[in-house]
Amino acid sequence: MTEFIPPGTRWFDLPTAFPIKRGGALHGPRLAYETWGTLDTERSNAILIVTGLSPDAHAAANAGNPAPGWWEWMLGAGKPIDTNRWFVVCVNSLGSCKGSTGPASINPATGETYRLDFPELSIEDGADAAVAVVRALGIERLACVVGNSMGGMTALALLQRHPGIARSHINISGAARALPFSIAIRSLQREAIRLDPLWNNGHYSDDAYPESGMRMARKLGVITYRSALEWDGRFGRVRLESDRRDDEDPFGLEFEVESYLEGHARRFVRSFDPNCYLYLSRSMDWFDLGEGCAGTTAQGLAGIRGLERALAIGVQADILFPLQQQEEIADGLRASGCEATFLPLPSPQGHDAFLVDSERFGPAVRDFLAG
Amino acid sequence: MTEFIPPGTRWFDLPTAFPIKRGGALHGPRLAYETWGTLDTERSNAILIVTGLSPDAHAAANAGNPAPGWWEWMLGAGKPIDTNRWFVVCVNSLGSCKGSTGPASINPATGETYRLDFPELSIEDGADAAVAVVRALGIERLACVVGNSMGGMTALALLQRHPGIARSHINISGAARALPFSIAIRSLQREAIRLDPLWNNGHYSDDAYPESGMRMARKLGVITYRSALEWDGRFGRVRLESDRRDDEDPFGLEFEVESYLEGHARRFVRSFDPNCYLYLSRSMDWFDLGEGCAGTTAQGLAGIRGLERALAIGVQADILFPLQQQEEIADGLRASGCEATFLPLPSPQGHDAFLVDSERFGPAVRDFLAG
């Protein structure tokens, strides 16, 4: 199994055995993380970032790794999350393959890769692991926890399970529970991987690798991460130049939009472990904050304690984590006694807008953190 | 190859050789159709229905086949398309496998199934074939042409290529061109079929059949035919009862919505020919009414001649043929000098609402035909 670890990654050894919500425990797991800025003497200026399904902990350039990160315009000196003021920690999710322990890691009990022997992972496990890193860094109370997409789920689980862990929260294109449209999309992505004969019940290798299944899963992902509106303007009905087409293949790539998907998929398939993908994808389907309080999702949100301020940002064109879900978060957190704002943005890019629409997301995050 | 022909189907032998827009010709092709009601002596009360990708010509019960059709509540005595008043013809699309000639038919030149030797099919070919049936029935001018989904494309092509063929037109969840989001979805559906090793470049059999690919394609179809809103109310996060789950399969069906998709897919995979699916799907991607006039889509619509009245109905929750496309049709036809109305409906069901939302679509169609 290949893991995909950026240079400069740091590791924290999680408490062992680390209990897993749905049963079992991990022995000797670790979490990959990176930091930016300096923790002040009161340890009061820390921001935690929890990510979507695929990113690593390298959100932006830092001393350990000067390469640009996946949120380079958001994070750094003078940027919306200003590292002159804040000490920022970004963790790679538990269950991922970018440094943290997951299905692509070695199971110390057997000396073999976990594969499907990895315990059933929940969003809540990722939240607990992230909190363990925060605590180990000597931070009792975060200034803010920021979660994007799946990270929006992780952040809410973390706030529910660790009351008082953060003074404020920014939830970006997140959700307090998975809805059936998103479950259907993710189920189909997992089915594409599992149908690939080379997936082989999780026992693939670099030489016999479920590329086709991963390609299908990624293409379906990209379709739901962006928006029809953006693509109309960007691709329209433009055809590929003839030298980029295979005229022998009657159903081959013909339109620019097909080539765009193919390019995205090719870059992804060998840079993310298929079993890790399955585990993290399923953990999102399982997530409902209501479960944590044996009640409704709204009760789950209203029961969060110790949070002073929150901002839930969503995008009108998001079909995967639709706008009503961020409104639900703001409404629910308001009911918890926190000062919560719902901010719908007209970004054309859909669910992934927070990665690219710096003009709208930058000021929104900057203003909230200044408040 | 299996064709799937309802009892009571009638056939019309198309002119032969029947020229194909992108090159080549079909020898001895035929079109399956059904009728309801009686053609009046002036031959002025005829309505043609052109369908979406998968339906057959059996839109409703009739003398030849008393079984309910796919639009049973819309079509019949006293119903919105009232067969006491109208003589209704529904054709199975050229290229389909439900009676009309398509890739699953025998190629008379070889005595073998066409498979991928079928010529490259366009929406315009289907339109010309439908018009040939209308003419053969002695109808010079239709009272109305009704097109749903892909049929909305076919209807527009028919109006463009045969000026004066219809006095009025109802376009339901249709489009005057394919947009990149829909192209991306269909491209992925075709890729799922083509990736199935049993597709075998079109040379499958009933015993070695690309079921997995068809299942994936159909599930993705159903996801885009319905809406997130409807599913939230219908399925929520309800789990399957344990006796309907396979606990041995760690990524197997767990939520009701997954089982719903699986059921839809199972009913579909063996009732539609995979090669026909590929051909019809691709024909939609190619469609742009602007091509027919070497101009823009709007110019294509504005150039339609002889149409007096039109109604373009769309559904807010439709992600596959979004509402702007039906507005574009109404605007464009108005520019042609026709009295055109755009009717957005709040049906929760999405693209497929016209098949199920009788309370909204019934009156809309009835009122237009009465006008």
Side-chain angles (χ1 to χ4, degrees), chain A residues 178 180-181 187 191 194 215 219 223 231-232 236-237 249-251 254-255 258 282 285-288, chain B residues 178 180-181 187-188 191 194 215 219 223 231-232 236-237 249-251 254-255 258 282 285-288:
Chain A
F181 179 85
S187 173
E191 187 168 355
R194 293 159 57 224
R215 195 167 70 234
K219 285 186 179 183
I223 287 175
W231 286 1
D232 290 351
R237 296 184 42 77
D249 182 354
F251 297 99
E254 173 169 354
F255 290 92
E258 293 177 282
R282 186 182 57 180
D285 289 2
W286 281 336
F287 185 64
D288 180 355
Chain B
F181 180 85
S187 173
L188 202 56
E191 187 168 354
R194 293 159 57 223
R215 195 166 71 234
K219 286 187 179 182
I223 287 175
W231 285 3
D232 289 351
R237 295 183 43 76
D249 182 355
F251 297 99
E254 172 169 354
F255 290 92
E258 293 177 283
R282 186 182 56 179
D285 289 3
W286 281 336
F287 185 64
D288 180 355

Side-chain angles (χ1 to χ4, degrees), chain B residues 235-250:
Chain B
F235 303 115
R237 295 183 43 76
V238 175
R239 256 64 165 204
L240 291 173
E241 300 287 336
S242 58
D243 61 355
R244 292 171 63 203
R245 290 169 61 170
D246 175 4
D247 290 336
E248 298 299 300
D249 182 355

Side-chain angles (χ1 to χ4, degrees), chain A residues 144-155:
Chain A
C144 190
V145 54
V146 180
N148 305 322
S149 186
M150 182 184 87
M153 295 175 161
T154 309

